[in-house]
Amino acid sequence: AQTVTQSQPEMSVQEAETVTLSCTYDTSENNYYLFWYKQPPSRQMILVIRQEAYKQQNATENRFSVNFQKAAKSFSLKISDSQLGDTAMYFCAFMKPLMYSGGGADGLTFGKGTHLIIQP
Amino acid sequence: KAGVTQTPRYLIKTRGQQVTLSCSPISGHRSVSWYQQTPGQGLQFLFEYFSETQRNKGNFPGRFSGRQFSNSRSEMNVSTLELGDSALYLCASSHGTSGGVQETQYFGPGTRLLVL
């Protein structure tokens, strides 16, 4: 079974600053997907970024980028030029690819989340 | 494209009753997964449906069941409700075939269930 750990329950930064959220995971798999989702107060879970473990290049999406360290099983999210709208719970998630999960999607395994507050 | 929709958005039930939640996936998506989110346990995987078949399930009692229709819409049913079933129930859809893009899950707004 996989586990995902987010060691920062809450973080607070000023608007326009850069912030990094930490995530570590434990798995014996070699191929997998990692995701960051954000959940604002509306509770809608929104995909931020996806990383495929076989890709060495770190994924980026506009102001969001990851630092994927496969050997260290670390997957941090960097938010540049933070905005008030970035205030949300951020969840790191792990998923085995379909072809390795015995015929059906195993589902996402989530960390406990980091509450990120962007101060004006 | 329209996103994932869930109905109802809010629900209040009493212990012992049963409840049915509905999820309509993004057009073209054939996989629907269900998750339970509670303050204590966090987000937990319930089950996944693809082409009307349950492909996988998490560690939940048999009171939790689901089904998927030919148009990929899915329903989740919880029978004999317990206080601990109070939660936000999220569904997510994906194409459901192999590949990073195809397996990426997009979530609906959730159904908040309160059991009294």
Side-chain angles (χ1 to χ4, degrees), chain B residues 15-47:
Chain B
R15 275 183 303 174
Q17 287 187 310
Q18 75 165 14
V19 66
T20 299
L21 313 181
S22 180
C23 172
S24 292
I26 291 170
S27 178
H29 285 190
R30 291 192 291 159
S31 169
V32 173
S33 298
W34 289 89
Y35 295 84
Q36 181 195 65
Q37 185 176 23
T38 60
Q41 298 299 315
L43 284 144
Q44 295 182 282
F45 172 68
L46 281 153
F47 32 65

Side-chain angles (χ1 to χ4, degrees), chain A residues 63-113:
Chain A
R63 298 182 295 108
F64 299 88
S65 62
V66 299
N67 183 4
F68 173 49
Q69 302 289 327
K70 191 174 183 180
K73 296 181 182 175
S74 170
F75 183 60
S76 61
L77 174 70
K78 186 172 84 170
I79 306 173
S80 303
D81 186 27
S82 58
Q83 301 173 358
L84 296 179
D86 295 333
T87 293
M89 282 291 291
Y90 285 79
F91 293 95
C92 178
F94 173 103
M95 189 171 78
K96 273 167 49 175
L98 197 57
M99 63 188 297
Y100 299 109
S101 61
D106 267 0
L108 292 155
T109 299
F110 287 91
K112 292 294 186 187

Side-chain angles (χ1 to χ4, degrees), chain B:
Chain B
K1 269 188 184 177
V4 179
T5 59
Q6 291 187 246
T7 56
R9 294 294 309 279
Y10 304 91
L11 211 46
I12 300 175
K13 292 285 187 179
T14 56
R15 275 183 303 174
Q17 287 187 310
Q18 75 165 14
V19 66
T20 299
L21 313 181
S22 180
C23 172
S24 292
I26 291 170
S27 178
H29 285 190
R30 291 192 291 159
S31 169
V32 173
S33 298
W34 289 89
Y35 295 84
Q36 181 195 65
Q37 185 176 23
T38 60
Q41 298 299 315
L43 284 144
Q44 295 182 282
F45 172 68
L46 281 153
F47 32 65
E48 186 244 1
Y49 284 85
F50 178 81
S51 290
E52 302 179 65
T53 300
Q54 185 183 90
R55 286 200 299 194
N56 216 333
K57 66 187 302 260
N59 190 26
F60 277 81
R63 299 186 297 108
F64 292 82
S65 63
R67 59 177 176 169
Q68 187 180 34
F69 301 93
S70 59
N71 62 356
S72 295
R73 188 176 71 84
S74 176
E75 288 182 347
M76 188 190 89
N77 184 273
V78 187
S79 62
T80 319
L81 283 165
E82 300 177 359
L83 296 179
D85 296 333
S86 293
L88 178 68
Y89 290 89
L90 294 163
C91 84
S93 76
S94 73
H95 289 285
T97 52
S98 287
V101 171
Q102 292 83 347
E103 297 181 62
T104 297
Q105 296 183 19
Y106 297 89
F107 284 81
T111 295
R112 291 198 203 189
L113 172 65
L114 177 62
V115 182
L116 301 176

Side-chain angles (χ1 to χ4, degrees), chain A residues 33-50:
Chain A
Y33 304 122
L34 294 166
F35 303 87
W36 280 97
Y37 285 90
K38 67 181 272 190
Q39 189 177 43
S42 67
R43 307 302 296 279
Q44 170 89 50
M45 193 75 78
I46 301 165
L47 174 69
V48 176
I49 204 163
R50 179 187 70 242

